[in-house]
Amino acid sequence: MTPSAGVLLTDLYQLTMVQAYVEQGMVEQAVFEFFVRRLPPRRNFLMAAGLEQVLEFLEHLRLTADEIDWLASTGRFSQTCLDYLRRLHFTGDVQAMPEGTVFFPHEPILRVIAPLPLAQLVETRVMNLLNFQCLIASKAARSVLAAEGKPLIDFGLRRAHGAEAGLFAARASYLAGFAGSATVLAGRQYGIPLYGTMAHSFVQAHKDEVTAFEHFALAQPDNVVLLIDTYDTEAAAHKVVKLAQTLKTKGIIVKGVRLDSGDLAQHAWNVRKILDEGGMREAKILASGNLDEYRLRDLAASGAPIDSFAVGTAMTTSSDAPSLDCAYKLQEYAGRPCRKRSEGKATWPGRKQVYRHGDGPEGRLAYDIVTTLEDRQEGRPLLQEVMKQGRRVGSPESLSEIRARAQRELASLPAPLQSLDEAPPFDVRISPTLQDLAKTVDERG
Amino acid sequence: MTPSAGVLLTDLYQLTMVQAYVEQGMVEQAVFEFFVRRLPPRRNFLMAAGLEQVLEFLEHLRLTADEIDWLASTGRFSQTCLDYLRRLHFTGDVQAMPEGTVFFPHEPILRVIAPLPLAQLVETRVMNLLNFQCLIASKAARSVLAAEGKPLIDFGLRRAHGAEAGLFAARASYLAGFAGSATVLAGRQYGIPLYGTMAHSFVQAHKDEVTAFEHFALAQPDNVVLLIDTYDTEAAAHKVVKLAQTLKTKGIIVKGVRLDSGDLAQHAWNVRKILDEGGMREAKILASGNLDEYRLRDLAASGAPIDSFAVGTAMTTSSDAPSLDCAYKLQEYAGRPCRKRSEGKATWPGRKQVYRHGDGPEGRLAYDIVTTLEDRQEGRPLLQEVMKQGRRVGSPESLSEIRARAQRELASLPAPLQSLDEAPPFDVRISPTLQDLAKTVDERG
């Protein structure tokens, strides 16, 4: 039912190029780097995410006998190529920015060093993994900044682009600072805290709203959060107050209510008053329904008494910018730096490091320098060794470590970059050494 | 590595509601319908897709012992609920519009009839599957209409939202009329024709462009399509002409070239002239690079000598509208029709059928009528029985049958709906019978 995301989840041309490389004996070391060419509209920064899935993909890079047989049956591949693919496993090195790191255009966030056919073959899935999780972490971080500390929950699975998108969006938003997700599998797979209430259908399936609320409370006595907008929000709030008294005698506490439609701020004010007057000062209000970072900002600014928010489609699909202008480019082959010069798509050659300035314990980001790997500079180097000859360096980072980093990184952003409004671009400097290298490469032709 | 897209790929509240229903004995027949509330911006119609994956999901709806153990370990679920989940399998009926059918807002495209906990539990994944494939088929259909018959190829995997999105986008675009995909797994899994050329890195890895072209031709003698924009497009075209003569002596024919940057129309004119003058009149020109339906329309209108197009990110992410405002709503429980009345989200109650008028062999769509299932009408009924008591009715449709239907459907659209520009909304009539039912349901309260 679920697709295998193995080697065959790739573009045909990767296999075609592997064949050409293997047949020509072009198997020397290649260096590829993944980076973003420019920020999507309305983004002031991006956040690195998806590295863990890239490393898992590389660790498990194998073709099954069945897959080899199928490739053979297409008649497209030579015996030499099939033999190479049969023995395929990842033997290269990887350097990368840790997940949760803030980054900017032209900064490599991942470098793969491996024999050319191998480094080429992994391109499609590496891009597929990094593009999506960086996209979602970056979008989710904006909601985190806009919500001014109020907890956010991912409700986006139903409109995520398939199974993996739903699961990865739960992970990427959690690492960027969301409090949890409704996606059960994300709880099982990543230990992400799970949240959930009830659907409108639950209320509709009952003859009346109060019975629905009561049934829900009896079934989930430790997690009574009631959805009150199916018919009339304020009328339902009054019902909740009355029911809460009965439930209290059974030892069940109504923890909160959810609003999902209409003017959320106005309903929140009305409902808060009804709950408070009904002796339910402790009950929380959760708001959901087509929320994005702009609506979160407005609701936070309105001072409406909403305690937490659920964010769905806008975050899970990064609806205002559903892809990154990202690339995985060959920067060096057989010790020779190279770069692409296609119109509007030129890149910086060679192996690079990014040095960050100004984000000490108290400070805010000042500028980054991108330079060649040999050109040691002041500042904090952002890319680290994460895989050596096909084996991980160190153990996988926990999501809580990554979350803590992401929180520090967001706090270290200068105020204009933290804003939802477009700020002047962050100062990313290309070092003279790197500029010289580019010139040399171009002159070589 | 890949997520299992089983029962746990769901929202927590589905399981919570299942528990409440099972404990309260609310296990009578429920009827849910999936529909779209309104068209995304700039869309004049939508195309149904993803039904096959929904049916596969329902057929395999089971929890493993491991999954049950994990659910038990969360402490959230009662023994009664866990026992129900342990025995879970799909026993319901499904009616749906066949894939490739054009549809409009408020028209149900899928109905699930099953005991309430079961029909509720499947909501999240059913929506996840239908939202995405309908979204992509609808977007891809626009490119098909804009390209005026020129073949289109899906190149979008690298920026698709994860593995499944890439695979399903290949399927949805193919059924909507694309000629094929670069995604190898889509070839294996669905028999979709595969296409591919080479990457810029292939050219860069070689000391010179001609050697790169030659190596590629030797490795793929039956599929020589050369990417010519890495350095200088027209200069590369001249190299291709020269190389083609040498290759001809070895029996290898250069089938075409790919343009991927710059002014595609202008390059195509220049390159066509160079190829023609070099005796390569048969060689085709494939264009790619940030294409969407608008650029396809402009390129088609320009008369530029481009033979086929590869479309990537814009199609795979439906970039200008990356989700549908869709819903899976309870329309009836235990024989009692119901509907949601939340502000701005009201729905039509009961089991419904859609009758289409005007799309006979020669005709164009005139209007649709949405009415209750009992209210038989003239016109072509669009929803058909596809699953009965958990078993498929008939065998799965082949992708070529679905493609043929999609082609007929697109041809039957009135010209304004075929346009990329926003047309007046298609005439979808709500029958008096259905309006009366809604009134009755509202009065009942």
Side-chain angles (χ1 to χ4, degrees), chain A residues 335-356:
Chain A
R336 198 173 57 108
C338 48
R339 71 158 166 170
K340 180 173 169 183
R341 297 201 306 271
S342 309
E343 295 166 51
K345 292 185 175 178
T347 66
W348 294 105
R351 305 178 191 207
K352 293 178 282 292
Q353 180 57 284
V354 182
Y355 292 93
R356 181 149 292 173

Side-chain angles (χ1 to χ4, degrees), chain A residues 8 10 12-13 19 120 128 157-159 161 163-164 182 184 201 204 219-220 267 322 324 326 339 343, chain B residues 10 12-13 16 19 120 128 157-159 161 163-164 182 184-185 201 204 219-220 267 322 324 326 339 343:
Chain A
L8 297 189
T10 192
L12 178 63
Y13 78 178
Q19 171 151 324
Q120 177 67 60
N128 174 274
L157 174 58
R158 63 191 55 201
R159 289 194 197 83
H161 290 186
E164 201 174 68
V184 179
S201 57
Q204 292 170 268
Q220 292 285 319
H267 283 310
L324 296 175
C326 56
R339 71 158 166 170
E343 295 166 51
Chain B
T10 191
L12 178 63
Y13 78 178
T16 307
Q19 171 151 322
Q120 177 67 60
N128 174 273
L157 173 58
R158 61 191 55 200
R159 290 197 194 80
H161 290 186
E164 201 174 69
V184 179
L185 195 56
S201 57
Q204 291 171 268
Q220 294 283 319
H267 284 311
L324 296 175
C326 57
R339 73 157 165 168
E343 297 165 48

Side-chain angles (χ1 to χ4, degrees), chain A residues 113-186:
Chain A
I113 306 172
L116 180 56
L118 194 54
Q120 177 67 60
L121 179 60
V122 302
E123 173 183 47
T124 305
R125 181 61 164 159
V126 166
M127 287 190 66
N128 174 274
L129 288 167
L130 292 179
N131 169 70
F132 183 63
Q133 281 204 60
C134 290
L135 182 73
I136 301 306
S138 306
K139 176 80 171 171
R142 286 164 61 80
S143 287
V144 170
L145 291 168
E148 299 184 353
K150 293 186 176 178
L152 301 175
I153 304 158
D154 155 40
F155 270 19
L157 174 58
R158 63 191 55 201
R159 289 194 197 83
H161 290 186
E164 201 174 68
L167 198 61
F168 286 169
R171 182 179 185 276
S173 58
Y174 182 65
L175 77 81
F178 271 46
S181 171
T183 301
V184 179
L185 195 56

Side-chain angles (χ1 to χ4, degrees), chain A residues 146-148 150 265 269 294-304 309:
Chain A
E148 299 184 353
K150 293 186 176 178
W269 285 114
Y294 297 97
R295 293 201 63 203
L296 292 178
R297 178 179 65 179
D298 294 347
L299 287 168
S302 76
F309 298 97

Side-chain angles (χ1 to χ4, degrees), chain A residues 53-365:
Chain A
Q53 283 65 43
V54 167
L55 296 178
E56 284 173 19
F57 166 65
L58 296 177
E59 279 180 313
H60 296 95
L61 197 78
R62 297 275 188 292
L63 281 150
T64 64
D66 265 11
E67 289 171 330
I68 295 285
D69 289 349
W70 179 78
L71 285 172
S73 77
T74 66
R76 290 178 183 270
F77 304 101
S78 65
Q79 204 50 54
T80 312
C81 178
L82 293 169
D83 286 345
Y84 177 85
L85 291 174
R86 198 174 281 121
R87 293 189 311 269
L88 185 82
H89 63 284
F90 189 74
T91 55
D93 300 345
V94 181
Q95 289 115 36
M97 289 189 195
E99 294 188 87
T101 305
V102 159
F103 71 97
F104 300 94
H106 299 294
E107 299 183 344
I109 67 165
L110 177 120
R111 174 169 41 246
V112 172
I113 306 172
L116 180 56
L118 194 54
Q120 177 67 60
L121 179 60
V122 302
E123 173 183 47
T124 305
R125 181 61 164 159
V126 166
M127 287 190 66
N128 174 274
L129 288 167
L130 292 179
N131 169 70
F132 183 63
Q133 281 204 60
C134 290
L135 182 73
I136 301 306
S138 306
K139 176 80 171 171
R142 286 164 61 80
S143 287
V144 170
L145 291 168
E148 299 184 353
K150 293 186 176 178
L152 301 175
I153 304 158
D154 155 40
F155 270 19
L157 174 58
R158 63 191 55 201
R159 289 194 197 83
H161 290 186
E164 201 174 68
L167 198 61
F168 286 169
R171 182 179 185 276
S173 58
Y174 182 65
L175 77 81
F178 271 46
S181 171
T183 301
V184 179
L185 195 56
R188 185 177 190 205
Q189 198 133 329
Y190 303 122
I192 293 172
L194 295 180
Y195 293 88
T197 59
M198 63 172 70
H200 295 103
S201 57
F202 189 83
V203 176
Q204 292 170 268
H206 287 83
K207 291 230 168 70
D208 64 85
E209 214 171 10
V210 175
T211 312
F213 291 166
E214 194 177 2
H215 284 178
F216 188 83
L218 295 174
Q220 292 285 319
D222 297 329
N223 180 35
V224 184
V225 179
L226 303 168
L227 176 64
I228 61 173
D229 75 324
T230 307
Y231 304 118
D232 177 311
T233 301
E234 284 74 17
H238 283 293
K239 294 176 192 170
V240 168
V241 164
K242 209 167 158 196
L243 176 67
Q245 294 163 355
T246 323
L247 289 173
K248 215 172 182 176
T249 64
K250 300 180 185 171
I252 298 174
I253 304 297
V254 176
K255 281 202 185 151
V257 296
R258 173 158 78 104
L259 310 174
D260 188 51
S261 54
D263 180 338
L264 293 173
Q266 190 53 54
H267 283 310
W269 285 114
N270 299 346
V271 167
R272 185 74 267 164
K273 188 155 179 285
I274 294 165
L275 295 178
D276 287 353
E277 291 176 359
M280 296 181 67
R281 286 184 188 281
E282 304 297 314
K284 305 282 190 195
I285 296 177
L286 164 68
S288 60
N290 293 321
L291 295 180
D292 64 11
E293 61 267 39
Y294 297 97
R295 293 201 63 203
L296 292 178
R297 178 179 65 179
D298 294 347
L299 287 168
S302 76
I306 297 171
D307 299 286
S308 60
F309 298 97
V311 183
T313 310
M315 187 275 292
T316 303
T317 63
S318 187
S319 57
D320 60 339
S323 70
L324 296 175
D325 185 359
C326 56
Y328 173 89
K329 287 292 160 200
L330 180 68
Q331 311 290 10
E332 183 188 310
Y333 176 60
R336 198 173 57 108
C338 48
R339 71 158 166 170
K340 180 173 169 183
R341 297 201 306 271
S342 309
E343 295 166 51
K345 292 185 175 178
T347 66
W348 294 105
R351 305 178 191 207
K352 293 178 282 292
Q353 180 57 284
V354 182
Y355 292 93
R356 181 149 292 173
H357 289 261
D359 68 336
E362 298 299 313
R364 301 269 182 135
L365 258 61

